[in-house]
Amino acid sequence: MFTEVLVALLIGGLIFFLVQRSRTQVLKAEDGWWGAGAPPDGGEDATIRPFKVTSSDEELEDLYRRIDQTRPVPSLEDSQFNYGFNSQYLQKVVSYWRNDFDWRRQVDKLNRYPHFRTNIEGIDIHYLHVKPKKVPEGSTAIPLIMVHGWPGSFYEFYGLIPLLTEPSDPQDLVFEVVCPSIPGYGFSEAPHKKGFDSVCAAHVFHKLMKRLGFQKFYAHGGDWGWLVTTNMAQLEPEIVKGLHVNFAPPSKPGLSMTLSIMLGRRFPKMFGFTDMDIQRLYPRMEKLVVEPIKESGYMHIQATKPDTVGRGLNDSPVGLAAYILEKFSTWTSHDFRNLEDGGLTRKFSLDDLLTNVMIYWTSGCIVSSMRFYKENFGKGLYQPHSKMPVYVPTGFACFPDELMHTPKLWVEQKYHKLVTFTAMARGGHFAAMEEPQLMAEDIQNFTKTVEKKK
């Protein structure tokens, strides 16, 4: 009897220790220096400088000259987008870009919101800071940082920002929005040294928010933005009040995930699987192996030798457009692979798509943006943050055409305070750009739940 009690106490103590240990786990990050050469004496320049997107005749003349010198390649018969971006349709996109697309007008649109740059850890960080024009009496604006991914940019949020800063419903919360460009993307300076991964980006963005005077804030992200904001929640959980994401691929498959994959089709209720879960996960081999392989070739290149292909893309605007816009086709719906035009303009306008391409072209950031894969995957698949739970209140928007489907059970394995899980009516990988109204509604619903204002 005594032995049994002792064993029970030991087991109970071990469980208690492990639970307490997991609850107090906080991700660690050290200050870095990502500028060229050695850090200067005298500390960091914390000046915040206004920034404007600009253009010039020389920039456009160089672009048009390169477009005019492109060498078209015929697509295979009946190939649609199954071999990549269809060349016949690419010529139509390029013709519009060359003859009808008004970059100067889009520059004016980009400058609609206030842009800034500030130097953090040796590199200039670009960001939008959009304050609401009017805040209801007796309330305050809710700070929210929104982080993009690849091959997107801060421009993905242009349709979403006004819905959050100027909501039409008087019952809705009013947000103050910060949209930074990940270092090496858009108008943020690229790191000059190896090793700048998602944790480093999260650390830099925490410094940015503190520099802007925010004691606590909410965070939203998709694609790489999901990982950067997740790392922000792991680094300083007492500062991130809530985390909202629309992409959450499992970082480390556990027993429950494995069992759910093996048995979920036969016993869906046991794992809380919905009809959409069954549709997106089965048959297993096709949905979880073959389909991801079809769409992940780019990732293997960028996670190993990004500079090689990047150099070619940095020289050719047509090649760059094909490489980026192919993702806006297939990642919006994998069925678009079977369409002659890739379904590109079913969800987006060519003006918006080409504006995103032009951000990459004019800033010359394609190589540095691709290196972000090398820095993250080059350190191995099981970095400390991948094994660490998130205890910040989390909301997940599950879009039906997302590149990788994540059932609620899998999300809960990582995010232990899952406050909301919404099966969205429609939308794919670039959900903030494709369905800004749906995204705004879900961010509102999540934040109201956390703030207990529902």
Side-chain angles (χ1 to χ4, degrees), residues 308-324:
T308 306
V309 69
R311 181 60 191 266
L313 298 174
N314 194 56
D315 268 356
S316 168
V318 175
L320 180 69
Y323 197 71
I324 289 176

Side-chain angles (χ1 to χ4, degrees), residues 120-399:
I120 300 176
E121 298 191 356
I123 51 177
D124 279 341
I125 305 301
H126 160 262
Y127 63 96
L128 306 177
H129 188 179
V130 187
K131 299 179 180 180
K133 295 176 182 176
K134 184 179 179 182
V135 180
E137 191 174 343
S139 63
T140 56
I142 294 177
L144 171 69
I145 184 172
M146 300 198 296
V147 185
H148 65 88
W150 186 93
S153 64
F154 63 90
Y155 185 64
E156 289 179 69
F157 300 121
Y158 263 53
L160 177 59
I161 289 171
L163 301 177
L164 297 172
T165 58
E166 303 172 51
S168 57
D169 187 341
Q171 301 301 313
D172 277 349
L173 301 169
V174 178
F175 291 86
E176 181 175 346
V177 174
V178 176
C179 291
S181 295
I182 296 172
Y185 287 71
F187 305 115
S188 278
E189 185 178 353
H192 295 262
K193 294 174 171 59
K194 296 185 292 183
F196 190 92
D197 61 9
S198 64
V199 177
C200 299
H203 187 56
V204 164
F205 289 165
H206 264 299
K207 287 188 172 184
L208 172 64
M209 295 301 277
K210 288 172 184 172
R211 187 169 293 181
L212 295 178
F214 297 116
Q215 304 300 316
K216 293 188 176 185
F217 55 85
Y218 284 81
H220 163 79
D223 195 86
W224 279 127
W226 139 74
L227 187 55
V228 173
T229 53
T230 292
N231 292 160
M232 291 180 77
Q234 292 169 318
L235 283 169
E236 301 195 57
E238 73 285 353
I239 289 178
V240 179
K241 289 187 71 176
L243 171 65
H244 185 273
V245 293
N246 57 278
F247 186 62
S251 53
K252 189 175 182 183
L255 179 61
S256 62
M257 179 181 169
T258 304
L259 288 174
S260 69
I261 292 172
M262 299 299 294
L263 304 174
R265 192 172 195 176
R266 176 167 290 218
F267 306 105
K269 291 183 179 179
M270 180 185 297
F271 302 99
F273 279 3
T274 64
D275 290 342
M276 184 169 78
D277 294 330
I278 300 300
Q279 180 185 338
R280 289 299 311 273
L281 298 177
Y282 301 97
R284 288 190 301 261
M285 182 58 69
E286 177 190 340
K287 299 296 178 68
L288 299 178
V289 179
V290 176
E291 192 61 35
I293 287 175
K294 285 182 180 179
E295 290 303 321
S296 60
Y298 81 98
M299 186 169 64
H300 296 286
I301 292 173
Q302 294 176 192
T304 53
K305 304 287 182 65
D307 285 27
T308 306
V309 69
R311 181 60 191 266
L313 298 174
N314 194 56
D315 268 356
S316 168
V318 175
L320 180 69
Y323 197 71
I324 289 176
L325 295 184
E326 180 225 297
K327 306 309 179 194
F328 279 84
S329 165
T330 312
W331 292 3
T332 300
S333 171
H334 64 81
D335 291 336
F336 286 177
R337 282 195 299 250
N338 300 316
L339 301 176
E340 296 292 342
D341 63 356
L344 265 186
T345 55
R346 293 193 178 193
K347 299 295 183 110
F348 311 105
S349 71
L350 279 182
D351 280 348
D352 284 340
L353 292 170
L354 289 171
T355 297
N356 183 64
V357 172
M358 285 293 285
I359 289 170
Y360 277 81
W361 177 257
T362 57
S363 65
C365 74
I366 187 61
V367 175
S368 54
S369 74
M370 293 163 66
R371 285 176 184 158
F372 202 54
Y373 286 79
K374 172 80 169 178
E375 304 298 7
N376 282 288
F377 289 112
K379 296 178 180 179
L381 295 177
Y382 299 124
Q383 290 303 300
H385 66 79
S386 70
K387 298 174 278 189
M388 190 178 294
V390 175
Y391 291 100
V392 165
T394 304
F396 183 70
C398 184
F399 286 87

Side-chain angles (χ1 to χ4, degrees), residues 73 85 170 330 343 439:
V73 178
F85 205 107
T330 312
M439 186 70 86

